[in-house]
Coordinates of all heavy atoms in Angstrom, one line a residue:
P10 N 0.8 -1.2 0.0 CA 0.0 0.0 0.0 C 0.9 1.2 0.0 O 2.0 1.2 0.2 CB -0.8 -0.1 1.3 CG 0.0 -1.0 2.2 CD 0.7 -1.9 1.3
F11 N 0.2 2.4 -0.3 CA 0.8 3.7 -0.2 C 0.6 4.2 1.3 O -0.3 3.8 1.9 CB 0.4 4.6 -1.3 CG 1.1 4.4 -2.6 CD1 1.0 3.1 -3.2 CD2 1.9 5.3 -3.1 CE1 1.6 2.9 -4.4 CE2 2.5 5.1 -4.3 CZ 2.4 3.9 -4.9
V12 N 1.5 5.2 1.7 CA 1.5 5.7 3.0 C 1.6 7.2 3.0 O 2.4 7.8 2.2 CB 2.7 5.1 3.7 CG1 2.8 5.7 5.1 CG2 2.6 3.6 3.9
V13 N 0.8 7.8 3.8 CA 0.8 9.3 4.0 C 1.9 9.6 5.0 O 1.9 9.0 6.1 CB -0.4 10.0 4.3 CG1 -0.3 11.5 4.4 CG2 -1.5 9.6 3.3
T14 N 2.9 10.5 4.8 CA 4.0 10.7 5.6 C 3.9 12.1 6.3 O 3.0 12.9 6.0 CB 5.4 10.4 5.0 OG1 5.5 11.4 3.9 CG2 5.5 9.0 4.5
E15 N 4.9 12.4 7.0 CA 5.0 13.6 7.9 C 4.6 15.0 7.2 O 4.0 15.8 7.8 CB 6.4 13.7 8.6 CG 6.5 14.8 9.6 CD 7.7 14.6 10.3 OE1 8.7 14.0 9.9 OE2 7.7 15.0 11.6
N16 N 5.0 15.1 6.0 CA 4.7 16.4 5.4 C 3.3 16.8 5.2 O 3.0 18.0 5.0 CB 5.6 16.6 4.1 CG 6.0 18.1 3.9 OD1 6.1 18.9 4.9 ND2 6.2 18.5 2.6
C17 N 2.4 15.8 5.3 CA 0.9 16.1 5.2 C 0.5 16.9 6.4 O -0.4 17.7 6.3 CB 0.2 14.9 4.9 SG -1.5 15.0 5.0
I18 N 1.2 16.7 7.6 CA 0.7 17.3 8.8 C 0.6 18.7 8.7 O 1.7 19.4 8.3 CB 1.6 16.7 10.0 CG1 1.5 15.2 10.3 CG2 1.1 17.6 11.3 CD1 2.5 14.6 11.3
K19 N -0.6 19.3 9.0 CA -0.8 20.8 9.0 C -0.6 21.4 7.6 O -0.9 22.6 7.3 CB 0.2 21.6 9.9 CG -0.1 21.3 11.4 CD 0.8 22.0 12.3 CE 0.5 23.4 12.5 NZ -0.9 23.6 13.3
C20 N -0.5 20.5 6.6 CA -0.6 20.9 5.1 C -2.0 20.5 4.6 O -2.9 21.4 4.2 CB 0.6 20.4 4.3 SG 2.1 21.3 4.6
K21 N -2.2 19.2 4.6 CA -3.5 18.7 4.4 C -4.3 19.2 3.2 O -5.4 19.8 3.4 CB -4.4 18.8 5.7 CG -5.5 17.9 5.8 CD -6.4 18.3 7.0 CE -7.6 17.4 7.2 NZ -8.6 18.0 8.1
H22 N -3.7 19.2 2.0 CA -4.2 19.8 0.7 C -5.5 18.9 0.4 O -6.3 19.6 -0.4 CB -3.2 19.9 -0.3 CG -2.2 20.9 0.1 ND1 -2.4 22.2 -0.3 CD2 -0.9 20.9 0.6 CE1 -1.3 23.0 0.1 NE2 -0.4 22.2 0.6
T23 N -5.5 17.7 0.6 CA -6.7 16.8 0.2 C -6.9 16.6 -1.3 O -7.9 15.9 -1.7 CB -8.0 17.2 0.9 OG1 -8.5 18.5 0.3 CG2 -7.9 17.3 2.3
D24 N -5.9 17.0 -2.2 CA -6.1 16.7 -3.6 C -6.0 15.2 -3.7 O -6.7 14.7 -4.7 CB -4.9 17.3 -4.4 CG -4.9 18.8 -4.2 OD1 -4.5 19.2 -3.1 OD2 -5.0 19.5 -5.1
C25 N -5.3 14.5 -2.9 CA -5.2 13.1 -3.0 C -6.5 12.3 -2.9 O -6.6 11.3 -3.6 CB -4.2 12.6 -1.8 SG -4.8 13.0 -0.2
V26 N -7.4 12.7 -2.1 CA -8.6 11.9 -2.0 C -9.4 11.8 -3.2 O -10.2 10.9 -3.5 CB -9.5 12.5 -0.8 CG1 -8.7 12.6 0.4 CG2 -10.2 13.8 -1.2
E27 N -9.4 12.8 -4.1 CA -10.2 12.9 -5.2 C -9.9 11.8 -6.3 O -10.8 11.3 -7.1 CB -10.1 14.2 -6.0 CG -10.6 15.4 -5.2 CD -12.1 15.8 -5.6 OE1 -12.7 15.3 -6.5 OE2 -12.6 16.5 -4.7
V28 N -8.6 11.3 -6.2 CA -8.3 10.3 -7.3 C -8.4 8.9 -6.9 O -8.3 8.0 -7.7 CB -6.8 10.6 -7.9 CG1 -6.8 12.1 -8.5 CG2 -5.8 10.5 -6.8
C29 N -8.5 8.7 -5.6 CA -8.5 7.4 -5.1 C -9.8 6.5 -5.6 O -10.8 6.8 -5.3 CB -8.4 7.3 -3.6 SG -8.2 5.6 -2.9
P30 N -9.4 5.5 -6.3 CA -10.5 4.6 -6.9 C -11.3 3.8 -5.9 O -12.3 3.3 -6.0 CB -10.0 3.7 -7.9 CG -8.5 3.6 -7.5 CD -8.2 4.9 -6.8
V31 N -10.6 3.6 -4.7 CA -11.2 2.7 -3.6 C -11.5 3.6 -2.3 O -11.9 3.0 -1.3 CB -10.3 1.5 -3.3 CG1 -10.2 0.6 -4.6 CG2 -9.0 1.9 -2.8
D32 N -11.5 4.8 -2.4 CA -11.9 5.6 -1.3 C -11.2 5.3 0.1 O -12.0 5.0 1.0 CB -13.4 5.8 -1.1 CG -14.1 6.4 -2.4 OD1 -13.4 7.1 -3.1 OD2 -15.3 6.2 -2.5
C33 N -10.0 5.2 0.1 CA -9.3 4.6 1.3 C -8.6 5.7 2.1 O -7.8 5.4 3.0 CB -8.5 3.5 0.9 SG -7.0 3.7 -0.1
F34 N -8.9 7.0 1.7 CA -8.2 8.1 2.6 C -9.2 8.3 3.8 O -10.4 8.4 3.6 CB -8.0 9.3 1.8 CG -6.9 9.3 1.0 CD1 -6.9 8.8 -0.3 CD2 -5.6 9.7 1.4 CE1 -5.8 8.8 -1.2 CE2 -4.5 9.6 0.6 CZ -4.5 9.2 -0.7
H35 N -8.5 8.6 4.9 CA -9.3 8.8 6.2 C -8.7 10.2 6.8 O -7.6 10.4 6.8 CB -9.2 7.7 7.2 CG -9.8 6.4 6.8 ND1 -10.9 5.8 7.4 CD2 -9.5 5.5 5.7 CE1 -11.2 4.7 6.7 NE2 -10.5 4.5 5.7
E36 N -9.6 10.9 7.3 CA -9.3 12.3 7.7 C -9.3 12.5 9.2 O -10.2 12.1 9.9 CB -10.4 13.2 7.1 CG -10.0 14.7 7.4 CD -11.1 15.7 7.1 OE1 -12.2 15.3 7.0 OE2 -10.8 17.0 6.9
G37 N -8.2 13.0 9.8 CA -8.1 13.5 11.0 C -8.0 15.0 11.1 O -8.2 15.7 10.1
P38 N -7.9 15.6 12.3 CA -7.9 17.1 12.5 C -6.9 17.7 11.5 O -7.2 18.9 11.1 CB -7.6 17.2 13.9 CG -8.1 16.0 14.6 CD -7.8 14.8 13.6
N39 N -5.6 17.2 11.5 CA -4.7 18.0 10.7 C -3.8 17.1 9.8 O -2.6 17.4 9.4 CB -3.9 18.9 11.6 CG -3.0 18.2 12.5 OD1 -3.0 16.9 12.6 ND2 -2.2 18.9 13.4
F40 N -4.4 15.9 9.4 CA -3.6 14.9 8.7 C -4.5 13.9 8.1 O -5.6 13.7 8.6 CB -2.6 14.2 9.8 CG -1.7 13.2 9.2 CD1 -0.8 13.4 8.2 CD2 -1.6 11.9 9.8 CE1 0.1 12.6 7.8 CE2 -0.7 10.9 9.5 CZ 0.2 11.3 8.4
L41 N -4.0 13.3 7.0 CA -4.8 12.2 6.4 C -4.0 10.9 6.4 O -2.8 11.0 6.4 CB -5.2 12.6 4.9 CG -6.6 13.0 4.7 CD1 -6.8 14.4 5.3 CD2 -6.8 13.2 3.2
V42 N -4.7 9.9 6.3 CA -3.9 8.5 6.3 C -4.7 7.6 5.2 O -5.9 8.0 4.9 CB -3.9 7.7 7.6 CG1 -3.1 8.5 8.6 CG2 -5.3 7.5 8.1
I43 N -3.9 6.6 4.7 CA -4.4 5.7 3.8 C -4.6 4.4 4.6 O -3.7 4.0 5.3 CB -3.4 5.4 2.7 CG1 -3.4 6.7 1.8 CG2 -3.8 4.2 1.9 CD1 -2.2 6.7 0.8
D44 N -5.8 3.7 4.4 CA -6.0 2.4 5.0 C -5.3 1.3 4.2 O -5.6 1.1 2.9 CB -7.6 2.1 4.9 CG -7.9 0.8 5.6 OD1 -6.9 0.0 5.8 OD2 -9.1 0.6 5.9
P45 N -4.3 0.7 4.7 CA -3.5 -0.3 4.0 C -4.3 -1.5 3.6 O -3.8 -2.2 2.6 CB -2.3 -0.6 5.0 CG -2.9 -0.3 6.4 CD -3.9 0.8 6.1
D46 N -5.4 -1.8 4.3 CA -6.1 -2.9 3.9 C -7.1 -2.7 2.6 O -7.6 -3.6 2.0 CB -7.1 -3.4 5.1 CG -6.2 -3.8 6.2 OD1 -5.1 -4.3 6.0 OD2 -6.8 -3.8 7.3
E47 N -7.1 -1.4 2.3 CA -8.1 -1.1 1.2 C -7.3 -0.6 -0.1 O -7.7 -0.8 -1.2 CB -9.0 0.1 1.5 CG -9.9 -0.4 2.7 CD -11.0 -1.4 2.3 OE1 -11.3 -1.5 1.1 OE2 -11.5 -2.2 3.1
C48 N -6.1 0.0 0.1 CA -5.3 0.6 -0.9 C -5.0 -0.6 -1.9 O -4.5 -1.6 -1.6 CB -4.0 1.2 -0.4 SG -2.9 1.8 -1.7
I49 N -5.1 -0.3 -3.3 CA -4.8 -1.3 -4.3 C -3.5 -1.0 -5.1 O -3.4 -1.5 -6.1 CB -6.0 -1.4 -5.3 CG1 -6.4 -0.1 -5.9 CG2 -7.2 -2.1 -4.6 CD1 -7.4 -0.3 -7.1
D50 N -2.7 0.0 -4.6 CA -1.5 0.3 -5.2 C -1.6 0.9 -6.6 O -0.8 0.6 -7.4 CB -0.5 -1.0 -5.2 CG 0.1 -1.2 -3.8 OD1 0.5 -0.2 -3.0 OD2 0.3 -2.3 -3.4
C51 N -2.6 1.7 -6.8 CA -2.9 2.1 -8.2 C -1.9 3.3 -8.6 O -1.6 3.6 -9.7 CB -4.3 2.6 -8.3 SG -4.5 4.2 -7.5
T52 N -1.3 3.9 -7.5 CA -0.2 4.9 -7.6 C -0.8 6.3 -8.0 O -0.1 7.3 -8.1 CB 0.9 4.6 -8.7 OG1 0.3 4.9 -10.0 CG2 1.4 3.3 -8.5
L53 N -2.1 6.4 -8.2 CA -2.7 7.7 -8.7 C -2.5 8.9 -7.7 O -2.3 10.0 -8.2 CB -4.2 7.5 -8.9 CG -4.5 6.7 -10.3 CD1 -6.0 6.5 -10.3 CD2 -3.9 7.3 -11.4
C54 N -2.5 8.5 -6.4 CA -2.5 9.7 -5.4 C -1.2 10.3 -5.3 O -1.0 11.5 -5.0 CB -3.0 9.2 -4.1 SG -2.1 7.8 -3.4
E55 N -0.1 9.5 -5.5 CA 1.3 9.9 -5.2 C 1.6 11.3 -5.9 O 2.0 12.3 -5.2 CB 2.3 8.9 -5.7 CG 3.7 9.2 -5.2 CD 4.6 8.0 -5.5 OE1 4.3 7.2 -6.4 OE2 5.7 8.0 -4.9
P56 N 1.4 11.5 -7.3 CA 1.7 12.7 -7.9 C 0.7 13.8 -7.5 O 0.9 15.0 -7.9 CB 1.7 12.4 -9.3 CG 0.7 11.2 -9.5 CD 1.0 10.4 -8.2
E57 N -0.5 13.6 -6.9 CA -1.4 14.6 -6.7 C -1.0 15.4 -5.4 O -1.5 16.6 -5.3 CB -2.9 14.0 -6.4 CG -3.5 13.3 -7.6 CD -3.6 14.3 -8.8 OE1 -4.1 15.5 -8.6 OE2 -3.3 14.0 -10.0
C58 N -0.3 14.9 -4.6 CA 0.1 15.7 -3.3 C 0.9 16.8 -3.6 O 2.1 16.6 -4.0 CB 0.7 14.8 -2.3 SG 1.1 15.7 -0.8
P59 N 0.6 18.1 -3.4 CA 1.4 19.3 -3.7 C 2.8 19.4 -2.8 O 3.6 20.1 -3.1 CB 0.5 20.5 -3.4 CG -0.8 19.9 -3.3 CD -0.7 18.5 -2.8
V60 N 2.7 18.6 -1.7 CA 3.9 18.7 -0.8 C 4.6 17.3 -0.8 O 5.5 17.1 0.1 CB 3.4 19.1 0.6 CG1 2.9 20.5 0.5 CG2 2.6 18.1 1.3
N61 N 4.3 16.4 -1.7 CA 5.0 15.1 -1.8 C 5.0 14.3 -0.6 O 6.1 13.9 -0.1 CB 6.4 15.4 -2.4 CG 6.5 16.1 -3.7 OD1 5.7 15.7 -4.7 ND2 7.2 17.1 -3.9
A62 N 3.9 14.2 0.0 CA 3.8 13.4 1.3 C 3.5 11.9 1.2 O 3.5 11.2 2.1 CB 2.8 14.1 2.3
I63 N 3.2 11.5 -0.1 CA 2.7 10.1 -0.3 C 3.8 9.2 -0.9 O 4.3 9.6 -1.9 CB 1.4 10.2 -1.1 CG1 0.3 11.0 -0.4 CG2 0.9 8.7 -1.3 CD1 -1.0 11.1 -1.3
F64 N 4.0 8.1 -0.3 CA 5.0 7.2 -0.7 C 4.6 5.8 -0.6 O 3.7 5.4 0.1 CB 6.3 7.3 0.2 CG 7.0 8.6 0.1 CD1 6.6 9.7 0.9 CD2 8.1 8.8 -0.8 CE1 7.2 10.9 0.9 CE2 8.7 10.1 -0.9 CZ 8.3 11.1 -0.1
P65 N 5.2 4.9 -1.5 CA 4.9 3.4 -1.3 C 5.5 3.0 0.1 O 6.5 3.5 0.5 CB 5.7 2.7 -2.5 CG 6.1 3.9 -3.4 CD 6.2 5.2 -2.6
E66 N 4.8 2.0 0.6 CA 5.2 1.6 1.9 C 6.6 1.2 2.0 O 7.3 1.4 3.1 CB 4.3 0.4 2.4 CG 4.6 -0.2 3.7 CD 3.6 -1.4 4.0 OE1 4.0 -2.6 3.5 OE2 2.6 -1.3 4.6
D67 N 7.2 0.6 1.0 CA 8.6 0.1 1.1 C 9.6 1.2 0.7 O 10.6 0.9 0.5 CB 8.8 -1.2 0.2 CG 8.3 -1.0 -1.2 OD1 8.0 0.2 -1.5 OD2 8.3 -2.0 -1.9
D68 N 9.1 2.4 0.5 CA 10.0 3.5 0.0 C 9.8 4.8 0.8 O 9.9 5.9 0.3 CB 9.8 3.7 -1.4 CG 10.9 4.4 -2.1 OD1 12.1 4.4 -1.5 OD2 10.7 5.1 -3.1
V69 N 9.3 4.6 2.1 CA 9.0 5.9 2.9 C 10.4 6.5 3.2 O 11.4 5.8 3.3 CB 8.3 5.6 4.1 CG1 6.9 5.2 3.8 CG2 9.0 4.8 5.1
P70 N 10.4 7.8 3.2 CA 11.7 8.6 3.5 C 12.4 8.1 4.9 O 11.6 7.7 5.8 CB 11.4 10.0 3.6 CG 10.1 10.2 3.0 CD 9.4 8.9 3.1
A71 N 13.6 8.0 4.9 CA 14.4 7.6 6.1 C 13.9 8.4 7.3 O 13.8 9.6 7.3 CB 15.9 7.8 5.9
G72 N 13.7 7.7 8.3 CA 13.2 8.4 9.6 C 11.8 8.4 9.8 O 11.2 8.7 10.8
Q73 N 11.1 8.0 8.7 CA 9.6 8.1 8.7 C 8.8 6.8 8.7 O 7.7 6.6 8.4 CB 9.1 9.0 7.6 CG 9.6 10.3 7.6 CD 8.8 11.4 6.9 OE1 7.6 11.4 6.8 NE2 9.4 12.5 6.4
E74 N 9.5 5.7 9.0 CA 9.0 4.3 9.0 C 7.7 4.3 10.0 O 6.9 3.5 9.8 CB 10.2 3.4 9.4 CG 11.3 3.3 8.5 CD 12.4 4.4 8.7 OE1 12.2 5.2 9.6 OE2 13.3 4.3 7.9
A75 N 7.8 5.1 11.0 CA 6.6 4.9 12.0 C 5.3 5.3 11.3 O 4.3 4.9 11.7 CB 6.9 5.9 13.1
F76 N 5.3 6.0 10.1 CA 4.2 6.4 9.5 C 3.4 5.3 8.9 O 2.2 5.3 8.7 CB 4.4 7.5 8.5 CG 4.5 8.9 9.2 CD1 5.7 9.3 9.6 CD2 3.4 9.6 9.3 CE1 5.8 10.5 10.3 CE2 3.5 10.8 10.0 CZ 4.8 11.3 10.4
V77 N 4.1 4.1 8.5 CA 3.5 2.9 8.1 C 2.5 2.4 9.1 O 1.2 2.2 8.7 CB 4.5 1.8 7.8 CG1 3.8 0.6 7.3 CG2 5.5 2.4 6.7
A78 N 2.9 2.3 10.3 CA 2.0 1.7 11.4 C 1.0 2.8 11.8 O -0.2 2.4 12.0 CB 2.8 1.3 12.7
L79 N 1.4 4.1 11.6 CA 0.4 5.1 12.1 C -0.8 5.3 11.0 O -2.0 5.4 11.4 CB 1.2 6.5 12.0 CG 0.7 7.6 12.9 CD1 0.4 7.1 14.3 CD2 1.7 8.7 12.9
N80 N -0.4 5.0 9.7 CA -1.6 5.0 8.8 C -2.6 3.9 9.0 O -3.8 4.1 9.0 CB -1.0 4.9 7.3 CG -0.6 6.2 6.7 OD1 -1.1 6.7 5.7 ND2 0.4 6.9 7.2
A81 N -2.0 2.7 9.3 CA -2.9 1.5 9.6 C -3.8 1.8 10.9 O -5.0 1.5 10.9 CB -2.0 0.2 9.8
E82 N -3.1 2.3 11.9 CA -3.9 2.6 13.1 C -4.9 3.6 13.0 O -6.1 3.4 13.4 CB -2.8 3.0 14.2 CG -3.4 3.4 15.6 CD -2.5 4.2 16.5 OE1 -1.3 4.1 16.3 OE2 -3.0 5.0 17.4
L83 N -4.6 4.8 12.5 CA -5.5 5.8 12.4 C -6.5 5.7 11.4 O -7.7 6.3 11.5 CB -4.8 7.2 12.1 CG -3.8 7.6 13.3 CD1 -2.9 8.8 12.8 CD2 -4.5 7.8 14.5
A84 N -6.3 4.9 10.3 CA -7.4 4.6 9.3 C -8.6 3.9 10.0 O -9.7 4.1 9.6 CB -6.8 3.8 8.2
K85 N -8.3 3.1 11.0 CA -9.3 2.4 11.7 C -10.3 3.4 12.7 O -11.4 3.1 12.9 CB -8.7 1.4 12.6 CG -8.0 0.3 12.0 CD -8.8 -0.5 11.0 CE -7.9 -1.5 10.3 NZ -8.1 -1.5 8.8
A86 N -9.6 4.5 12.9 CA -10.3 5.4 13.9 C -10.9 6.7 13.3 O -11.8 7.3 13.7 CB -9.2 6.0 15.0
W87 N -10.4 7.1 12.0 CA -10.9 8.2 11.3 C -11.8 7.9 10.2 O -11.8 6.9 9.6 CB -9.6 9.0 10.9 CG -8.8 9.6 11.9 CD1 -9.1 9.9 13.2 CD2 -7.6 10.3 11.8 NE1 -8.1 10.5 13.9 CE2 -7.2 10.8 13.0 CE3 -6.7 10.4 10.6 CZ2 -5.8 11.5 13.1 CZ3 -5.5 11.1 10.7 CH2 -5.1 11.5 12.1
P88 N -12.8 8.8 9.9 CA -13.7 8.7 8.9 C -13.1 8.9 7.4 O -12.1 9.6 7.3 CB -14.8 9.8 9.1 CG -14.0 10.9 9.9 CD -13.1 10.2 10.7
V89 N -13.7 8.2 6.5 CA -13.2 8.3 5.1 C -13.5 9.7 4.6 O -14.6 10.4 4.9 CB -14.0 7.3 4.1 CG1 -13.9 7.6 2.7 CG2 -13.6 5.9 4.5
L90 N -12.6 10.2 3.8 CA -12.8 11.5 3.1 C -12.7 11.2 1.6 O -11.6 10.7 1.1 CB -11.8 12.7 3.5 CG -11.9 14.0 2.8 CD1 -13.2 14.7 3.4 CD2 -10.6 14.9 3.1
T91 N -13.7 11.7 0.7 CA -13.6 11.4 -0.7 C -13.7 12.8 -1.5 O -13.4 12.7 -2.7 CB -14.7 10.5 -1.1 OG1 -15.9 11.2 -0.7 CG2 -14.7 9.2 -0.4
V92 N -14.1 13.8 -0.8 CA -14.1 15.1 -1.6 C -13.1 16.1 -1.1 O -13.0 16.3 0.1 CB -15.5 15.6 -1.5 CG1 -15.7 16.9 -2.3 CG2 -16.5 14.7 -2.0
R93 N -12.4 16.8 -2.0 CA -11.4 17.7 -1.6 C -12.0 18.8 -0.9 O -13.2 19.2 -1.1 CB -10.8 18.3 -2.9 CG -9.6 19.1 -2.7 CD -9.1 19.8 -4.0 NE -8.0 20.8 -3.6 CZ -8.2 21.9 -3.1 NH1 -9.4 22.4 -3.0 NH2 -7.1 22.7 -2.9
K94 N -11.3 19.3 0.2 CA -11.6 20.6 0.8 C -10.5 21.6 0.9 O -9.4 21.2 0.6 CB -12.1 20.3 2.2 CG -11.2 19.4 3.1 CD -11.7 19.3 4.5 CE -12.9 18.4 4.7 NZ -13.1 18.3 6.3
D95 N -10.8 22.8 1.3 CA -9.7 23.8 1.3 C -8.7 23.5 2.3 O -9.1 23.1 3.5 CB -10.3 25.1 1.7 CG -11.1 25.7 0.5 OD1 -10.8 25.4 -0.7 OD2 -12.0 26.6 0.7
P96 N -7.4 23.5 2.1 CA -6.4 23.3 3.1 C -6.4 24.4 4.1 O -7.1 25.4 4.0 CB -5.1 23.3 2.2 CG -5.4 24.1 1.0 CD -6.9 24.0 0.8
P97 N -5.7 24.2 5.2 CA -5.6 25.2 6.2 C -5.0 26.5 5.6 O -4.3 26.4 4.6 CB -4.6 24.6 7.3 CG -4.6 23.2 7.1 CD -5.0 22.9 5.7
A98 N -5.3 27.6 6.1 CA -4.9 28.9 5.5 C -3.4 29.1 5.6 O -2.8 29.7 4.7 CB -5.5 30.2 6.3
D99 N -2.8 28.4 6.6 CA -1.3 28.5 6.7 C -0.6 27.3 6.2 O 0.6 27.1 6.5 CB -0.9 28.8 8.2 CG -1.5 27.7 9.1 OD1 -2.1 26.8 8.6 OD2 -1.0 27.7 10.3
A100 N -1.3 26.5 5.3 CA -0.7 25.3 4.8 C 0.8 25.5 4.3 O 1.7 24.7 4.4 CB -1.6 24.6 3.8
G101 N 0.9 26.5 3.6 CA 2.1 26.9 2.8 C 3.3 27.1 3.7 O 4.3 26.7 3.4
E102 N 3.0 27.6 4.9 CA 4.1 27.8 5.9 C 4.7 26.5 6.4 O 5.8 26.5 7.0 CB 3.5 28.7 7.0 CG 3.1 30.1 6.6 CD 2.3 30.7 7.7 OE1 2.6 30.5 9.0 OE2 1.5 31.6 7.4
W103 N 3.8 25.4 6.4 CA 4.3 24.1 7.1 C 4.9 23.2 6.1 O 5.4 22.2 6.5 CB 3.1 23.5 7.7 CG 2.6 24.3 8.9 CD1 1.7 25.3 9.1 CD2 3.3 24.3 10.2 NE1 1.6 25.8 10.3 CE2 2.6 25.2 11.0 CE3 4.2 23.5 10.8 CZ2 2.9 25.3 12.4 CZ3 4.6 23.7 12.1 CH2 4.0 24.7 12.9
D104 N 4.9 23.5 4.8 CA 5.5 22.6 3.8 C 7.0 22.5 4.1 O 7.7 23.5 4.1 CB 5.3 23.2 2.4 CG 5.9 22.3 1.4 OD1 6.2 21.1 1.6 OD2 6.0 22.7 0.2
G105 N 7.5 21.2 4.4 CA 8.9 21.0 4.5 C 9.4 21.3 6.0 O 10.5 21.0 6.3
K106 N 8.5 21.7 6.9 CA 9.0 21.9 8.3 C 9.4 20.6 8.9 O 8.6 19.6 8.8 CB 7.9 22.6 9.0 CG 7.7 24.1 8.7 CD 8.4 25.1 9.7 CE 8.5 26.5 9.3 NZ 7.2 27.1 9.4
P107 N 10.5 20.5 9.6 CA 10.8 19.2 10.2 C 10.1 19.0 11.5 O 9.4 19.9 12.1 CB 12.3 19.5 10.5 CG 12.5 20.9 10.7 CD 11.5 21.6 9.8
D108 N 10.0 17.7 12.0 CA 9.5 17.4 13.3 C 8.0 17.7 13.5 O 7.6 18.2 14.5 CB 10.3 18.0 14.4 CG 11.8 17.6 14.3 OD1 12.0 16.4 14.0 OD2 12.7 18.4 14.7
K109 N 7.2 17.5 12.4 CA 5.9 17.8 12.5 C 5.0 16.7 13.2 O 3.8 16.9 13.6 CB 5.2 18.0 11.1 CG 5.7 19.4 10.6 CD 4.8 19.9 9.5 CE 4.9 19.2 8.2 NZ 4.1 19.7 7.2
L110 N 5.7 15.6 13.4 CA 4.9 14.4 14.1 C 4.4 14.8 15.4 O 3.3 14.4 15.8 CB 5.9 13.1 14.2 CG 5.1 11.9 14.7 CD1 3.8 11.6 14.1 CD2 6.2 10.7 14.7
K111 N 5.1 15.5 16.2 CA 4.7 15.9 17.5 C 3.4 16.9 17.5 O 2.8 17.1 18.5 CB 5.7 16.6 18.3 CG 6.4 17.8 17.7 CD 7.4 18.5 18.6 CE 8.0 19.8 18.1 NZ 9.1 19.7 17.2
L112 N 3.2 17.4 16.3 CA 2.0 18.3 16.1 C 0.8 17.6 15.6 O -0.3 18.2 15.5 CB 2.3 19.5 15.1 CG 3.6 20.3 15.5 CD1 3.9 21.2 14.4 CD2 3.4 21.0 16.8
L113 N 0.9 16.3 15.4 CA -0.3 15.5 14.9 C -1.4 15.5 16.0 O -1.2 15.2 17.1 CB 0.2 14.0 14.7 CG -0.9 13.1 14.2 CD1 -1.5 13.4 13.0 CD2 -0.4 11.6 14.3
E114 N -2.6 15.9 15.5 CA -3.8 15.9 16.4 C -4.6 14.6 16.1 O -4.8 14.2 14.9 CB -4.7 17.1 16.2 CG -3.9 18.4 16.5 CD -4.8 19.6 16.1 OE1 -5.9 19.5 16.1 OE2 -4.2 20.7 15.7
R115 N -5.1 13.9 17.1 CA -5.9 12.8 16.9 C -7.3 12.9 17.3 O -7.6 13.9 17.9 CB -5.3 11.7 17.9 CG -3.9 11.3 17.5 CD -3.4 10.3 18.6 NE -2.0 9.8 18.1 CZ -1.8 8.5 17.7 NH1 -2.7 7.6 17.6 NH2 -0.6 8.2 17.4
Ligands
SF4_206 FE1 -5.8 5.1 -3.3 FE2 -4.4 4.4 -5.3 FE3 -3.4 6.0 -3.6 FE4 -3.9 3.5 -2.9 S1 -2.3 4.2 -4.4 S2 -4.5 5.3 -1.7 S3 -5.7 3.0 -4.0 S4 -5.1 6.4 -5.0
F3S207 FE1 -1.9 15.5 2.7 FE2 -0.9 15.7 0.3 FE3 -3.3 14.5 0.7 S1 -0.8 17.2 2.0 S2 -4.0 15.5 2.5 S3 -1.2 13.8 1.4 S4 -2.7 15.9 -1.0

């Protein structure tokens, strides 16, 4: 499956959800995750993310391995999102900021 990683936190552009053929994106307060049990590896979402936060599970950036388990866990707790919504007003300021995991809201 594909995995949403750290740079989505507080960016949350949601372009990704529109292209998913199996509607497996789940939305939290300031982050999205992919349900690994539903993702069919179609690859369509990866280029849609303006901040390049989506990676194949076996190719997540170094240091972000925890996001594999986090996507699986949070997908069970959060509702599905299928329609794009406006990102946070300050999304641009958070693109590429390090250590955003501690800012994840559940
Ligand atoms: Fe959905 Fe395809 Fe992305 Fe998996 S790879 S989350 S099926 S758009
Ligand atoms: Fe996040 Fe990128 Fe989707 S910022 S909500 S993974 S388009």
